[in-house]
């Protein structure tokens, strides 16, 4: 079957760095996405990885290792507004369109 | 910044009634999607739409569901006979290309009573 695993919840301190991991087992691989979702709101696109390595975008970076079926989202200089759920989603190679979603990691930022 | 707009933001309907959820994708986007999220659960893919036809659909998208692009701007999801388990947040999304990140609308919260 197809599965995406993320920690359920993480806590970090304002100004610190946090790494949210995602492992996946899917029918092939055709890209991995990270989205941010505040409670009651729509997911917001953060990053897209299709090749191995690190993609940096401001305070957020995303890493992919296809051989390990592993990705992480790195958030630096945490701000209180970063408190949200972070969703990992994968497109398998048997689909051009459908994303398979993880359950999300709820990130709690403390002062 | 361009947005995907959805209406209504919240709809309450009686079981067995038909509902139509409306979406206006970003104007230069070519790929359109419906996803749903039951409260506290994962986002689930329903259907994708490209070139005026369904390109892919999930097991959830049975014959009670249909999508339509009635004109050049709107993209609708119809549920013919709603069930209690259809209660969820329904998100419309669009993208320029199939392998790009989506832009999601703010969602319609459907409550079936």
């Amino acid at each position: 079957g197809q599965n995406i695993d993320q920690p359920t919840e993480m806590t970090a301190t304002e100004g610190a760095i946090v790494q949210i991991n995602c492992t996946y087992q899917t029918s092939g691989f055709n890209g991995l996405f990270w989205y941010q979702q505040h409670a009651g709101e729509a997911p917001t696109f953060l990053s897209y990885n299709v090749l191995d390595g690190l993609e940096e975008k401001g305070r957020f970076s995303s890493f992919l290792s296809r051989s390990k079926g592993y990705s992480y989202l790195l958030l630096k200089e945490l701000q209180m507004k970063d408190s949200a759920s972070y969703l990992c989603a994968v497109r398998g190679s048997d689909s051009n369109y459908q994303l398979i979603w993880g359950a999300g990691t709820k990130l709690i930022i403390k002062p | 910044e361009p947005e995907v707009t959805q209406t209504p933001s919240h709809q309450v309907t009686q079981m067995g009634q038909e509902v139509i959820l409306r979406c206006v994708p970003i104007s230069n986007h070519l790929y359109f999607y419906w996803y749903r999220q039951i409260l506290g659960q994962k986002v689930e893919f329903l259907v994708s739409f490209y070139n005026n036809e369904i390109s892919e659909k999930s097991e959830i998208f049975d014959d009670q569901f249909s999508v339509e692009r009635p004109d050049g701007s709107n993209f609708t999801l119809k549920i013919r006979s709603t069930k209690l388990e259809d209660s969820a947040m329904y998100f419309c999304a669009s993208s320029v290309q199939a392998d790009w990140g989506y832009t999601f609308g703010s969602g319609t919260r459907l409550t079936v009573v």
Side-chain angles (χ1 to χ4, degrees):
Chain A
Q2 308 202 88
N3 197 46
I4 297 179
D5 290 312
Q6 308 177 233
T8 304
E9 187 174 297
M10 299 180 71
T11 303
T13 305
E14 190 177 14
I17 299 173
V18 71
Q19 177 174 310
I20 302 174
N21 296 324
C22 170
T23 57
Y24 62 89
Q25 300 90 38
T26 56
S27 301
F29 177 82
N30 200 17
L32 184 144
F33 297 80
W34 283 96
Y35 282 81
Q36 180 191 62
Q37 186 177 31
H38 286 98
E41 298 183 10
T44 304
F45 172 73
L46 292 177
S47 69
Y48 170 63
N49 294 71
V50 67
L51 299 176
D52 291 349
L54 188 69
E55 294 280 344
E56 297 187 77
K57 193 187 287 187
R59 293 191 298 116
F60 294 4
S61 304
S62 56
F63 172 83
L64 175 68
S65 169
R66 288 173 296 171
S67 62
K68 295 181 180 177
Y70 167 70
S71 173
Y72 67 73
L73 180 69
L74 191 72
L75 292 77
K76 303 176 186 174
E77 301 169 16
L78 287 170
Q79 302 173 10
M80 298 302 292
K81 67 178 182 179
D82 296 330
S83 292
S85 286
Y86 291 85
L87 313 180
C88 175
V90 173
R91 180 182 288 122
S93 60
D94 60 354
S95 168
N96 288 324
Y97 307 101
Q98 178 179 171
L99 293 186
I100 302 157
W101 296 78
T105 298
K106 184 178 180 181
L107 178 63
I108 300 168
I109 310 296
K110 295 186 175 179
Chain B
E1 188 171 332
E3 289 184 342
V4 175
T5 56
Q6 289 187 244
T7 54
S9 57
H10 192 179
Q11 179 148 4
V12 181
T13 189
Q14 288 201 325
M15 192 167 55
Q17 294 297 304
E18 174 183 287
V19 295
I20 297 176
L21 310 183
R22 303 182 191 280
C23 170
V24 179
I26 295 173
S27 60
N28 65 332
H29 285 191
L30 302 176
Y31 297 82
F32 315 121
Y33 313 86
W34 283 101
Y35 280 82
R36 79 173 186 190
Q37 188 174 30
I38 296 170
L39 187 63
Q41 297 188 23
K42 295 181 185 183
V43 176
E44 299 174 294
F45 170 79
L46 294 178
V47 66
S48 60
F49 192 88
Y50 170 71
N51 201 26
N52 287 318
E53 61 182 18
I54 291 174
S55 46
E56 197 168 339
K57 60 183 181 179
S58 71
E59 293 174 352
I60 301 168
F61 195 89
D62 60 22
D63 57 9
Q64 292 298 308
F65 290 86
S66 62
V67 289
E68 199 176 37
R69 188 155 163 82
D71 53 42
S73 59
N74 291 287
F75 179 51
T76 62
L77 175 69
K78 182 192 290 186
I79 309 175
R80 276 185 249 290
S81 177
T82 50
K83 302 186 285 286
L84 294 176
E85 54 265 37
D86 293 328
S87 295
M89 186 76 113
Y90 287 80
F91 292 110
C92 174
S94 68
S95 63
V96 174
Q97 297 180 15
D99 58 354
W100 284 27
Y102 307 157
T103 301
F104 280 85
S106 55
T108 294
R109 181 170 297 284
L110 177 65
T111 304
V112 182
V113 296

